[in-house]
Amino acid sequence: MDMCGRRAWLRGAAGAGLVAAWPALAQQKPPGVAKLVVGFPAGGSIDAVARRLADSLRAVVADTVIVDNRPGAGGRIAIDALRRAPADGEQWLITPGSMLVIYPHVYKKLNYEPQRDLLPVAQIADVPLALAVGPGAPASVVDVPSYLAWVKSGAATHGVIGTPAAGNITHFLAFLIGKSGGFSPQYVPYRGSAPAINDLLGGQIPAVVNPLTEMLPHLPSGKLRVLGVTARQRSAFLPQVPTFVEQGHPTVVGSEWMGMFARPDTPAPLVQRMAAGVRDALKTPAVLEALQKLALEPAGTDGPRLARRIGEELAGWREVSRVFGFQLDE
């Protein structure tokens, strides 16, 4: 073969190889627009985190990154939107953990199976939760033991506990508080944290189990007192407040978290690019400042470790659900 023929053959072979590799290359190319699907209205904590992430992910995972709010059905509409979307890396889900580890035990009819239908990409943040009291409880209630003594020595209304929703982790933690403390709570589920805190501050209910996010602004006034956090470790935002475990209640343990998910058949290069983008975003001042303002603790856990956490929590809450017996039809 002469030199010209050899060059022609090499060009042809290279072209054939490029054609053969084109589908893989096309899969690795990021989309022009990526949507971060959020199952809650604009203005909430998850929406705020998603918008800060979108700013950091722009030009990293796509030319344009936007937040697509799909509120309703306690976050289930957003999950369904991701399930129905093409697996092209254009849509990603940001959701709290309750939808994946508690809802399967609560809803009699659930149109998704977390471990089958959602691929964990990264854990974004931990959401500290706590029990707090307001003007509806006497000033002598300053910790978990004094709260339990007051609840069991007074009227039935002392055992009222508000939660931001029915059937999520705060509701289940209220059940665990009652079970460990030896009383039967009267649950008052609200449509979000803000209404629950408003009624707590107004004295309509004596106590709430709620994310710290909405509690911290009211601590300086003294109208709201945090009695115990439900994580295994104290929160960096309230280091002076002990955990339930420290106060003699080892079964009252649970934390909410935020994670990012993709369809399971999303091309691996796109998932890897997004995971790296989230990991890097959680190191930027803008995202860290946003989390700090919301009393959220940055996580950065990778997809495989988040998958293991989901499996462990699914199993743990299954037993709690069996004892609790709480279920919802829709």
Coordinates of all heavy atoms in Angstrom, one line a residue, residues 2 12 57 69 81 84 101 103 151 178 187-189 228 249 251 268 286 290 292 318:
D2 N 0.7 2.2 -1.0 CA 1.5 3.4 -1.0 C 1.0 4.4 0.1 O 0.1 4.1 0.8 CB 1.4 4.0 -2.4 CG 0.0 4.5 -2.8 OD1 -0.8 4.6 -1.9 OD2 -0.2 4.7 -4.0
G12 N -10.5 6.5 6.6 CA -11.7 5.7 6.6 C -11.9 4.9 7.9 O -13.0 4.9 8.4
L57 N -24.6 25.0 39.0 CA -24.5 23.9 38.0 C -24.6 24.4 36.5 O -24.3 23.6 35.6 CB -25.6 22.9 38.2 CG -25.6 22.1 39.5 CD1 -26.8 21.3 39.8 CD2 -24.4 21.1 39.5
N69 N -40.8 23.7 39.5 CA -41.7 23.4 40.7 C -42.9 22.6 40.2 O -43.7 23.1 39.4 CB -42.1 24.7 41.4 CG -40.9 25.5 41.9 OD1 -40.4 26.4 41.3 ND2 -40.5 25.1 43.1
A81 N -43.3 13.0 37.7 CA -42.8 13.8 36.6 C -41.4 13.3 36.1 O -41.2 13.1 34.9 CB -42.7 15.3 36.9
R84 N -41.7 9.8 34.3 CA -42.3 9.9 32.9 C -41.4 10.7 32.0 O -41.7 10.7 30.8 CB -43.7 10.6 33.0 CG -44.7 9.8 33.8 CD -46.0 10.6 34.0 NE -47.0 9.9 34.8 CZ -47.8 9.0 34.3 NH1 -47.8 8.7 33.0 NH2 -48.7 8.4 35.1
V101 N -38.5 6.8 52.0 CA -38.3 5.9 53.1 C -39.5 5.7 54.0 O -39.5 4.7 54.7 CB -37.0 6.2 53.9 CG1 -35.8 6.2 53.0 CG2 -37.2 7.5 54.7
Y103 N -43.0 7.1 52.9 CA -44.2 7.0 52.1 C -44.6 5.6 51.6 O -45.7 5.2 51.6 CB -44.1 7.9 50.8 CG -44.4 9.3 51.0 CD1 -44.5 9.9 52.3 CD2 -44.7 10.2 50.0 CE1 -44.8 11.2 52.5 CE2 -45.0 11.5 50.1 CZ -45.0 12.1 51.4 OH -45.3 13.4 51.6
V151 N -46.8 16.9 80.3 CA -47.8 16.2 79.5 C -48.6 15.2 80.3 O -49.8 15.1 80.3 CB -47.1 15.5 78.3 CG1 -48.1 14.6 77.6 CG2 -46.6 16.6 77.3
G178 N -44.1 10.0 71.8 CA -45.1 9.5 72.6 C -44.9 8.1 73.2 O -45.1 7.8 74.3
Y187 N -52.1 14.2 67.3 CA -51.4 14.7 66.2 C -52.2 15.8 65.5 O -53.4 15.6 65.2 CB -51.0 13.6 65.2 CG -50.4 12.4 65.9 CD1 -51.0 11.2 66.0 CD2 -49.0 12.5 66.3 CE1 -50.4 10.1 66.6 CE2 -48.4 11.4 66.9 CZ -49.1 10.2 67.1 OH -48.5 9.2 67.7
V188 N -51.6 16.9 65.2 CA -52.2 17.9 64.4 C -51.3 18.2 63.2 O -50.4 19.0 63.3 CB -52.4 19.2 65.2 CG1 -53.1 20.3 64.3 CG2 -53.2 19.0 66.5
P189 N -51.6 17.6 62.0 CA -50.8 17.8 60.8 C -51.2 19.1 60.1 O -52.4 19.4 60.0 CB -51.1 16.6 60.0 CG -52.5 16.1 60.4 CD -52.6 16.5 61.8
G228 N -35.3 19.3 72.4 CA -34.4 18.2 72.0 C -34.4 18.0 70.5 O -35.4 18.2 69.8
H249 N -33.8 8.8 75.6 CA -34.8 8.2 74.7 C -34.1 7.7 73.4 O -34.2 8.4 72.4 CB -35.9 9.3 74.4 CG -36.6 9.7 75.6 ND1 -37.7 9.0 76.1 CD2 -36.4 10.7 76.5 CE1 -38.2 9.6 77.2 NE2 -37.4 10.6 77.5
T251 N -34.7 5.5 71.3 CA -35.5 5.2 70.1 C -36.0 6.4 69.3 O -36.5 6.2 68.2 CB -36.7 4.3 70.5 OG1 -37.5 5.0 71.4 CG2 -36.2 3.0 71.1
A268 N -24.7 6.8 32.3 CA -23.8 7.0 33.4 C -23.0 8.2 33.3 O -22.7 8.9 34.4 CB -22.9 5.7 33.5
A286 N -21.6 30.5 47.9 CA -23.0 30.8 47.7 C -23.9 29.7 48.2 O -24.9 30.0 48.9 CB -23.3 31.1 46.2
A290 N -26.4 29.7 51.6 CA -27.8 29.4 51.5 C -28.2 28.3 52.5 O -29.2 28.4 53.1 CB -28.1 29.0 50.1
Q292 N -26.6 27.5 55.2 CA -26.5 28.1 56.6 C -27.7 28.9 57.0 O -28.2 28.8 58.1 CB -25.2 29.0 56.6 CG -25.0 29.7 57.9 CD -24.3 28.8 59.0 OE1 -23.8 27.8 58.7 NE2 -24.4 29.2 60.2
R318 N -40.1 0.7 58.4 CA -41.1 -0.3 58.1 C -41.6 -0.9 59.5 O -42.8 -1.0 59.7 CB -40.5 -1.5 57.3 CG -41.5 -2.6 57.0 CD -40.9 -3.7 56.2 NE -40.5 -3.3 54.9 CZ -39.3 -3.2 54.5 NH1 -38.3 -3.5 55.3 NH2 -39.0 -2.7 53.3

